[in-house]
Amino acid sequence: MITYRTHSIHSKEITKLSEQTAAACTVKEIRGRTMNSQQPSSDGPDQDNDNIRLLSNGECFQTIGHSLKIVKNIAFLYQEYRDTSKQQEIEQRRQRENLSPGVKAGSVLPGSGVISPPVLQLQLRNSAQSLSLWQNLEAVQTSGLLTQLPHKEIIMQEAMFELVTSEASYYKSLEILELHFLRNPVLTNTLSQSDMHFLFSNIEEVMKASERFLMDLEHRIEESILISDVCDIVYYHAVEHFSVFIKYVINQVYQEKNYRRILEGNQAFREAMAALENHPRVRGLSFTSFLILPFQRITRLKLLVQNILKKAEENTEREVHAIKAHQQLEQIVKECNEGVRKMSRTEELISIEKTLEFKSKSVPIISHSRWLLKKGEVQLMAGPKSTRTMRSRKLYQPVYLFLFNNLLLVTKRSGDKFQVLDSCTRAMLRTEDLEDQGQLLANVFNLRLLENQEERLVNYMLKTSSMSDKLRWMCALTPNRRTRFMSTSAHQPDSPQVQCIQSYSSQEPDELSTEMADILNLLERTDDGWMMGERLHDGERGWFPSRIVEEIQSKEVRAQNLREAFRIQQAHESGVGQTGGRSGIRVGRRTPKVSSFSNPWTGQMGDSSEVNQ
C-alpha cells in the first residue's frame, strides 16, 4: 500500500492549495487504484461558493479520492475523446464555411449572419455526447457566473476545462492498459520478464506522472469553479515529471517490433490477448491503441495549451504561463521525435549499407548526421535520342536512387544488392523539369550532378512512373526549388489551405503523417491525387494523398488560421529566454528558440511529430 502525497508546487498559490488538499485528503493506491481514506463531505453542491472550495479544516467537498474523482465521472476513453474532438473541429470549420448540409441555428455575429466560431465550438461540443462542457456543470449554472462573465472568458474557461477533462479521459484509458492488460495474470504468465519490459516499458512511471498532474489540475478546479489558470500547472509538470514520456516514446520503436514478434511466435499470448481485446471493458479498441496513448497525449496536450494561448489576452499572466507551458511541451515532443528518428534512422542506415556494393570509390554511409529522405526506382535514358533508339525497348534502363539529407547514390539493383554507379553531395544537385513529349517522354526531368564522385559534371535524364512521383523526386533532390504556392514563412496575406478529414500514416520518408483536423498550408499539388503541405501548428512539411483533406474555401477562415499561427510564433519569439525556473525549481532543460515553419528537407531536424499522434 503506497501513500501518495501532494508534491511541492512551484508557486505560492499552488503550494498553498496543495497543502490544503494534503491536509484534507490522504490518497492511497492499492494495486494501482487510488482511493480516499476519508468519507466525502455530506454537503451537496449548494449555492454557496464555499462549498465548491477545498476546506482547510479537513473536509473535502465531494472528493472521491481526488486523483480519480474526475476519472469516475468521465464516461469516455481517451481514444473516443480524440476522435470526437477532432471530428468536432472539422465540423466547426465546415459550418463556418457553410459546407455541411443542415447548418444548425446558433448565435450569429451582429449584422453578418455568420455563426460566431466560439459559439459554434460550444454548440458542437454540447451536442457531442462524449465531450463535457464547463458551463453545463451544475455548480457553474447555479453560481450565476454565466450571466456575469464576458463571452470571451466563458470560451477560455471551456478551453481550460477541456484540458482537464481530456487528461482525466487519458488517465482512464491508462488504467485499462495497466489493470486490464499489464496486471492480468493470464497474459503476464505467457511472457518472459524481458518481453514484459519490451511491451510495457516504463508505463507505470508514465501513469504516476499523469496521476500527479491530474491531482493538481483537480485541486485547481476544486479551489474555485472559476478556473484561474491551468498552464502554470502544465509548465511545472512538464519540467519536473514529463521526461518519462521521452523514454516511453523512444522505446516504442522496439515495442511495435516485439509485439509483432510475440504475436507470431507465442500462441498462449495470442489467445490471451484476443480474449482481453474482446472484453466489453475495452469497447472494441485494440491493445496497440492503448500502447500509443502517451505520445498521442503529449502531442495533444501541446495543442490544447496552444488553443489556450490563442485565446489568452496579450501581456497577461495567463499568456506568460501558456507560452512557457507550450515551449516546454514542444521541447519534450521534439526530444521524443529526435529519439525515435535517431534510432530508426541508424537502423535504416545499417540495413542499407549491408546491401551496397561500391565498384570504385567507397563512400561511408553510417553517420549520426545522415538520414534517408527518399529511395526508389526511376528509369535512366540510355543512348542517343535517335528514331531508332526511341523505338527500342532499351531506351531506358532502371536505376535505383538513395537520397540522403546530404548525399545521393545512383545504383543498379542486382538481386538483393545495389551496385553504386555514381554519387554526389546533395548540395551539388540541380533539377530541370521537361515537358511531356508523348508517352515515351512523359514524366521526365533532368538531374545534374555538378560534381560527382569523379569530380566532374554529369547529366542524367530520368523518367518516373507518374507525374506526382516526378514532382516528389524533384522537390526532394532540390529542396530550395520554388514551389507552386508560397510557404507560410513568406507571410503572404492569403494562400491555399486544406484541413485533414482523416488520419494518414506516412509510407515513404518524404510523406507527412497527419491527424484529423490538422490545418496545412498547400505548397504543391498534382493531377494524380497528391499534395505537399506545411502544417501550420509546427511547420512540418511532406506529401500526402489529396483524398484525406478538404480545401478551405473561405478566405476569412484561412486568414484566421494564419493569424493564429503567427501569434503562436511571435509569442514564442518574445518569450524565449524568459522561461527559467521559479521558486527554487531548476528547469531540467533549456528552452531553445522555436524555429517555426522550418523545412525538414533542408538538412535541419524537424520540430514536431512524424509519429502518429
Side-chain angles (χ1 to χ4, degrees):
M1 183 175 293
I2 305 170
T3 301
Y4 280 86
R5 293 184 175 84
T6 307
H7 298 260
S8 176
I9 313 298
H10 54 88
S11 69
K12 293 181 180 178
E13 178 187 358
I14 304 181
T15 303
K16 181 179 178 182
L17 175 61
S18 297
E19 288 171 354
Q20 290 176 337
T21 307
C25 307
T26 302
V27 180
K28 298 180 180 180
E29 179 178 275
I30 303 175
R31 297 181 185 175
R33 289 188 178 275
T34 308
M35 57 186 296
N36 194 331
S37 64
Q38 297 182 354
Q39 294 296 322
S41 169
S42 59
D43 295 330
D46 296 332
Q47 293 83 3
D48 191 348
N49 278 351
D50 290 338
N51 287 338
I52 303 166
R53 298 177 182 274
L54 280 176
L55 306 178
S56 59
N57 61 3
E59 292 186 11
C60 214
F61 172 70
Q62 285 195 332
T63 300
I64 312 171
H66 38 268
S67 69
L68 284 183
K69 174 185 174 184
I70 299 180
V71 177
K72 293 198 176 203
N73 293 329
I74 292 292
F76 50 94
L77 298 178
Y78 188 69
Q79 296 94 319
E80 297 165 327
Y81 153 76
R82 287 182 70 253
D83 290 345
T84 305
S85 180
K86 289 177 180 296
Q87 189 59 51
Q88 167 207 306
E89 292 179 40
I90 295 170
E91 195 62 28
Q92 178 185 345
R93 191 267 308 164
R94 284 174 174 170
Q95 291 195 19
R96 288 168 66 187
E97 294 193 306
N98 279 336
L99 291 183
S100 62
V103 177
K104 299 177 182 178
S107 300
V108 297
L109 297 176
S112 68
V114 179
I115 301 177
S116 165
V119 173
L120 255 181
Q121 181 181 3
L122 297 185
Q123 173 186 302
L124 290 167
R125 285 195 67 193
N126 205 19
S127 63
Q129 294 181 354
S130 60
L131 298 181
S132 303
L133 280 176
W134 173 80
Q135 63 185 266
N136 286 346
L137 295 176
E138 184 180 352
V140 173
Q141 292 181 344
T142 58
S143 67
L145 286 172
L146 296 178
T147 60
Q148 301 170 17
L149 294 175
H151 189 65
K152 284 186 177 180
E153 180 58 31
I154 294 177
I155 298 300
M156 173 61 82
Q157 292 292 314
E158 296 292 358
M160 294 189 291
F161 188 67
E162 181 182 0
L163 188 148
V164 178
T165 55
S166 62
E167 183 66 25
S169 173
Y170 163 67
Y171 187 82
K172 188 182 184 79
S173 290
L174 282 186
E175 273 196 317
I176 291 180
L177 176 59
E178 184 191 32
L179 300 176
H180 188 69
F181 293 102
L182 175 60
R183 302 295 182 199
N184 184 276
V186 177
L187 184 71
T188 55
N189 286 339
T190 68
L191 296 170
S192 65
Q193 188 172 356
S194 60
D195 282 344
M196 280 288 292
H197 176 71
F198 279 133
L199 282 186
F200 296 100
S201 187
N202 63 324
I203 191 61
E204 291 177 296
E205 295 176 8
V206 173
M207 276 201 71
K208 289 177 182 178
S210 177
E211 183 169 9
R212 282 188 291 251
F213 181 43
L214 186 57
M215 284 173 69
D216 287 328
L217 290 173
E218 185 167 322
H219 294 169
R220 179 60 55 83
I221 291 181
E222 289 177 333
E223 180 190 32
S224 172
I225 55 173
L226 184 61
I227 307 170
S228 58
D229 200 354
V230 292
C231 290
D232 53 346
I233 298 176
V234 174
Y235 173 68
Y236 167 75
H237 282 269
V239 171
E240 293 297 311
H241 302 302
F242 286 178
S243 60
V244 295
F245 282 95
I246 300 171
K247 178 180 178 182
Y248 184 88
V249 172
I250 292 176
N251 284 341
Q252 279 189 304
V253 176
Y254 295 116
Q255 190 181 59
E256 296 167 6
K257 292 180 180 178
N258 281 282
Y259 178 60
R260 290 194 296 268
R261 172 185 61 81
I262 297 169
L263 267 183
E264 292 173 3
N266 188 331
Q267 183 178 352
F269 172 82
R270 190 164 59 246
E271 292 173 352
M273 180 58 68
L276 290 175
E277 287 186 326
N278 287 328
H279 195 280
R281 187 181 188 189
V282 301
R283 304 182 189 179
L285 297 167
S286 67
F287 173 61
T288 53
S289 76
F290 290 92
L291 288 180
I292 63 175
L293 284 172
F295 188 75
Q296 288 180 334
R297 181 53 186 170
I298 199 68
T299 51
R300 182 65 178 171
L301 189 59
K302 186 189 82 169
L303 295 180
L304 291 171
V305 169
Q306 192 175 97
N307 189 39
I308 293 172
L309 177 55
K310 291 174 185 176
K311 294 172 171 56
E313 291 186 22
E314 295 185 12
N315 303 317
T316 62
E317 193 174 44
R318 275 181 180 170
E319 185 192 45
V320 172
H321 292 162
I323 291 172
K324 289 183 175 182
H326 189 266
Q327 286 179 330
Q328 203 64 39
L329 290 172
E330 188 145 301
Q331 177 66 11
I332 291 172
V333 171
K334 181 178 179 180
E335 289 184 31
C336 286
N337 283 321
E338 289 182 351
V340 170
R341 286 168 172 165
K342 183 178 180 180
M343 294 179 71
S344 59
R345 285 169 173 172
T346 301
E347 287 184 358
E348 191 170 40
L349 290 177
I350 294 173
S351 176
I352 291 173
E353 188 179 56
K354 290 178 180 178
T355 66
L356 297 177
E357 294 179 343
F358 290 89
K359 290 294 185 181
S360 54
K361 185 178 179 181
S362 178
V363 179
I365 299 300
I366 300 175
S367 168
H368 290 300
S369 60
R370 176 171 295 150
W371 60 88
L372 183 71
L373 290 181
K374 190 170 178 62
K375 64 179 180 178
E377 186 175 279
V378 295
Q379 302 296 316
L380 172 65
M381 174 174 275
K385 303 177 186 177
S386 66
T387 305
R388 183 176 179 182
T389 57
M390 289 285 283
R391 294 173 181 174
S392 169
R393 294 183 178 179
K394 297 182 180 180
L395 175 62
Y396 294 104
Q397 64 179 19
V399 292
Y400 201 94
L401 304 183
F402 289 94
L403 178 65
F404 304 94
N405 62 308
N406 53 10
L407 177 70
L408 171 70
L409 297 181
V410 182
T411 73
K412 180 180 179 181
R413 188 193 289 268
S414 177
D416 296 332
K417 299 289 185 179
F418 295 90
Q419 297 177 359
V420 179
L421 306 176
D422 207 347
S423 64
C424 180
T425 59
R426 190 174 176 225
M428 302 298 285
L429 300 176
R430 300 293 184 270
T431 58
E432 178 190 4
D433 196 3
L434 299 178
E435 293 184 6
D436 290 356
Q437 299 178 9
Q439 187 175 359
L440 284 175
L441 289 177
N443 307 317
V444 176
F445 69 97
N446 270 333
L447 173 62
R448 176 175 295 185
L449 280 57
L450 300 182
E451 186 177 305
N452 73 345
Q453 62 187 18
E454 297 174 356
E455 300 183 355
R456 60 188 181 90
L457 187 148
V458 179
N459 279 309
Y460 293 114
M461 181 180 286
L462 302 175
K463 177 181 172 65
T464 63
S465 59
S466 65
M467 182 179 72
S468 60
D469 200 29
K470 178 180 78 169
L471 195 55
R472 287 171 64 167
W473 269 114
M474 292 178 66
C475 288
L477 289 163
T478 49
N480 293 324
R481 67 181 293 275
R482 187 182 180 89
T483 54
R484 184 186 303 191
F485 307 110
M486 298 296 288
S487 167
T488 312
S489 57
H491 296 270
Q492 293 294 306
D494 190 27
S495 57
Q497 293 176 9
V498 294
Q499 183 176 44
C500 297
I501 57 174
Q502 66 183 77
S503 300
Y504 177 73
S505 296
S506 60
Q507 306 299 309
E508 300 290 340
D510 64 338
E511 293 178 9
L512 181 67
S513 292
T514 63
E515 284 290 318
M516 285 174 60
D518 279 353
I519 304 292
L520 299 107
N521 191 53
L522 199 59
L523 300 176
E524 286 282 5
R525 71 194 316 164
T526 68
D527 294 336
D528 56 351
W530 285 87
M531 294 179 170
M532 182 172 74
E534 180 181 63
R535 190 161 43 214
L536 286 190
H537 77 74
D538 60 14
E540 286 286 314
R541 287 186 178 189
W543 290 87
F544 51 88
S546 56
R547 60 178 169 78
I548 70 163
V549 299
E550 287 180 347
E551 190 156 355
I552 298 176
Q553 303 292 341
S554 169
K555 185 176 181 179
E556 289 73 20
V557 173
R558 294 196 299 267
Q560 177 66 24
N561 291 336
L562 286 177
R563 282 195 299 270
E564 291 177 349
F566 290 145
R567 183 181 177 191
I568 298 296
Q569 181 182 3
Q570 290 168 358
H572 272 281
E573 290 172 352
S574 64
V576 169
Q578 303 174 15
T579 58
R582 353 165 161 175
S583 302
I585 292 293
R586 182 179 178 86
V587 179
R589 56 181 78 82
R590 181 174 59 87
T591 304
K593 183 170 181 178
V594 177
S595 178
S596 298
F597 312 121
S598 60
N599 185 347
W601 295 348
T602 59
Q604 301 297 321
M605 293 289 280
D607 286 340
S608 182
S609 167
E610 289 292 334
V611 184
N612 290 339
Q613 296 178 16

